[in-house]
Amino acid sequence: MIEVAPKRETRRNRVLTAVKVAHTAIWAFFAGCILALPIAGWLRRFDWALILTGFILFECGVLAVNRARCPLTALAARYTTDRSSAFDIYLPEWLAAHNKMIFGTLFLVNEVIVLWFWKN
């Protein structure tokens, strides 16, 4: 007799893993953009700072349209009943829980740093 449930569960796990990998890669890209801002300012590459800011603001727009949630979170929720802070991404729980506050603050601080380099 062939068991259907284990096959379905394996597929669900593979899809969830793929979503988590994609979500983590996208998160790393945007976190990298935020962290690169003061470097771009220090190097006086304000063109790069503007591009990085554009990427980050695009992501903010995506989050705003989706009620402050990444669209991948809703996709991952289809494949698991887990609702911990990091159920949809490969990040430590504490970072996933406070991600927007941490990186939102870093973004604002780094923008001020870029502006300071631009003015001086």
Side-chain angles (χ1 to χ4, degrees), residues 14-37:
R14 280 190 302 224
V15 173
L16 180 60
T17 298
V19 170
K20 289 173 79 166
V21 167
H23 196 182
T24 305
I26 293 165
W27 175 88
F29 172 78
F30 287 112
C33 287
I34 290 170
L35 296 176
L37 276 169

Side-chain angles (χ1 to χ4, degrees), residues 6 9 20 22 38 42-43 87 103 112:
E9 199 59 36
K20 289 173 79 166
W42 180 67
L43 294 173
F87 84 91
F103 284 92
V112 169

Side-chain angles (χ1 to χ4, degrees), residues 1 10 26 36-37 44-45 75 81-82 85-86 91 104 112:
M1 180 177 211
T10 300
I26 293 165
L37 276 169
R44 303 229 177 270
R45 291 302 311 259
L75 181 60
T81 57
D82 181 6
S85 296
L91 291 178
V112 169

Side-chain angles (χ1 to χ4, degrees), residues 19-86:
V19 170
K20 289 173 79 166
V21 167
H23 196 182
T24 305
I26 293 165
W27 175 88
F29 172 78
F30 287 112
C33 287
I34 290 170
L35 296 176
L37 276 169
I39 297 166
W42 180 67
L43 294 173
R44 303 229 177 270
R45 291 302 311 259
F46 302 112
D47 53 341
W48 281 101
L50 186 61
I51 291 167
L52 294 168
T53 299
F55 284 141
I56 297 161
L57 291 176
F58 172 78
E59 173 66 3
C60 290
V62 169
L63 293 173
V65 167
N66 288 290
R67 299 181 204 167
R69 292 184 64 171
C70 177
L72 292 176
T73 298
L75 181 60
R78 295 182 197 169
Y79 297 96
T80 182
T81 57
D82 181 6
R83 292 301 180 268
S84 64
S85 296

